[in-house]
Amino acid sequence: MSKFNRVALIGRSGHQQVSETIARLTEYLRDAGLEVWIEDQLAELGGFSEFRHCALEHIGQKVDLAVVVGGDGSLLGASRALARFDTPVLGINRGSLGFLTDIRPSEALEKVGQALLGEFTEETRSLNSVEVIRADQVIASATALNDVVLHKGQSARMLGFDLCIDDQFVYSSRSDGLIVSTPTGSTAYSLSAGGPIMHPRLEALVVVPMFPHTLNARPIVVPANFVISVTVTEKHQALPQVSCDGQTHISLLLGDQIIIRQSDERLTLLHPPGYSYYEVCRSKLQWGGRIEPQQDNE
Ligand code: NAP
């Protein structure tokens, strides 16, 4: 007896290996008697239009499980759309790293089969929300599973901004920008910028400066219910931007205020039985690699 009855398949259209895995899954799920939904673009461009299909933004309300085939980037995009419906997500890795999409394609049918029987580890991941305020009006908003990044857009010049945390002034900075990351995003851009790895169960945000022209700027981890506010304090020819998961972008003007806080939305991420966060860190981030002694042949 399947725990899930209606399953969405989501993946990058026009990617041959993704399409192959999706084709195997559609057959498997149909044979199991389940209702299969395909994300619109994939249905059209991947040749799955005989199945029920729906825009990514709405597919979460049609199904009780979503399987994302692709890399972490695909999972980020899908998760931002699915979290509001609380649709659980299972990831099959057809990307290059697959930190979040942890099932190997060769095991896709076996692991999806186990998930249908209720054999999985379930995790809740927090998202951040961002609002951009201009002249007292919210002009744009978005959510991020990994990170909200203030950056200098197309410019090679420094970005000037003020940072406040929970209404308290923290610092003014001239730098390349700032990363505000969830624990999920702490192994992505934030890690590259010197931020700490935060266990996904932690209720916290990390604020990581990007290339500040100073010797003493450090990442700071704050409670997840703190509100981060960043104000652009210098005029820039090339418009600075705020990006969510590197995938949605909002252009900024002098005086714009960016408010980042933990979102009310949560992502339910499913992993195959035996999943270990530390094993993923070992295998994907190459933790614990042994330094082999050099052979001296003389
Ligand atoms: P991308 O620029 O094409 O690739 C970013 C890389 O980071 C990919 O290898 C991706 O894995 C991996 N990744 C994404 N989320 C991760 C996570 N939570 N933990 C560990 N690795 C992760 O962009 P993308 O694939 O759409 O991912 C967007 C993310 O890229 C942004 O949220 C940002 O964190 C990150 N990014 C990093 C840098 C940097 O490190 N210098 C610069 C720009 C953006 P897959 O190969 O499986 O997709």
Side-chain angles (χ1 to χ4, degrees):
M1 175 74 179
S2 175
K3 185 175 163 57
F4 304 103
N5 299 312
R6 294 164 294 128
V7 182
L9 297 176
I10 298 169
R12 187 143 51 97
S13 52
H15 188 292
Q16 199 196 334
Q17 289 179 319
V18 169
S19 294
E20 279 168 22
T21 303
I22 298 270
R24 285 168 51 222
L25 284 168
T26 50
E27 209 174 304
Y28 180 80
L29 294 169
R30 197 156 52 177
D31 289 352
L34 304 185
E35 194 174 297
V36 178
W37 283 81
I38 311 274
E39 182 269 319
D40 261 350
Q41 267 201 333
L42 178 67
E44 194 184 326
L45 302 173
F48 300 103
S49 46
E50 84 225 53
F51 292 91
R52 291 178 175 85
H53 47 94
C54 177
L56 180 62
E57 292 69 44
H58 306 297
I59 207 162
Q61 71 195 84
K62 307 281 187 194
V63 298
D64 45 23
L65 173 69
V67 178
V68 178
V69 181
D72 295 329
S74 301
L75 189 125
L76 293 169
S79 299
R80 289 196 307 277
L82 294 163
R84 83 189 61 138
F85 302 108
D86 204 17
T87 312
V89 177
L90 192 67
I92 295 171
N93 183 25
R94 277 295 192 186
S96 56
L97 186 66
F99 198 89
L100 303 168
T101 51
D102 43 23
I103 297 176
R104 283 198 290 270
S106 58
E107 298 179 315
L109 301 189
E110 180 198 342
K111 300 297 179 191
V112 169
Q114 285 179 330
L116 295 178
L117 294 172
E119 294 168 20
F120 51 75
T121 304
E122 183 176 313
E123 263 193 321
T124 303
R125 298 286 179 114
S126 60
L127 285 87
N128 285 345
S129 71
V130 59
E131 286 182 335
V132 176
I133 298 173
R134 184 174 300 161
D136 294 331
Q137 304 279 341
V138 176
I139 59 143
S141 59
T143 54
L145 178 60
N146 265 354
D147 38 37
V148 176
V149 180
L150 167 71
H151 60 99
K152 54 203 181 48
Q154 303 279 317
S155 171
R157 306 195 64 170
M158 288 176 122
L159 177 62
F161 61 88
D162 287 351
L163 169 68
C164 292
I165 298 180
D166 241 26
D167 284 334
Q168 294 197 29
F169 175 71
V170 182
Y171 55 68
S172 296
S173 175
R174 295 194 80 232
S175 62
D176 278 10
L178 196 71
I179 301 168
V180 180
S181 174
T182 61
T184 296
S186 70
T187 47
Y189 207 172
S190 168
L191 181 85
S192 307
I197 292 181
M198 299 197 289
H199 192 278
R201 287 243 296 274
L202 207 60
E203 290 291 327
L205 309 175
V206 63
V207 181
V208 186
M210 290 164 73
F211 294 108
H213 197 215
T214 163
L215 292 173
N216 53 13
R218 287 288 178 269
I220 177 167
V221 178
V222 298
N225 62 351
F226 278 18
V227 177
I228 314 292
S229 161
V230 186
T231 306
V232 179
T233 54
E234 287 179 22
K235 196 167 191 294
H236 296 270
Q237 292 293 335
L239 302 180
Q241 289 191 328
V242 61
S243 299
C244 291
D245 296 341
Q247 296 178 354
T248 55
H249 311 281
I250 306 164
S251 292
L252 302 169
L253 298 176
L254 173 67
D256 281 358
Q257 190 187 12
I258 301 125
I259 304 284
I260 302 152
R261 49 164 67 91
Q262 193 180 56
S263 168
D264 293 337
E265 294 172 8
R266 298 267 155 162
L267 174 73
T268 305
L269 190 58
L270 306 187
H271 301 286
Y275 166 82
S276 153
Y277 180 71
Y278 307 110
E279 194 286 320
V280 178
C281 288
R282 278 199 306 276
S283 60
K284 308 277 173 168
L285 302 180
Q286 284 145 31
W287 272 10
R290 280 183 31 180
I291 300 171
E292 299 296 340
Q294 272 195 332
Q295 295 292 332
D296 189 348
N297 295 325
E298 282 184 23

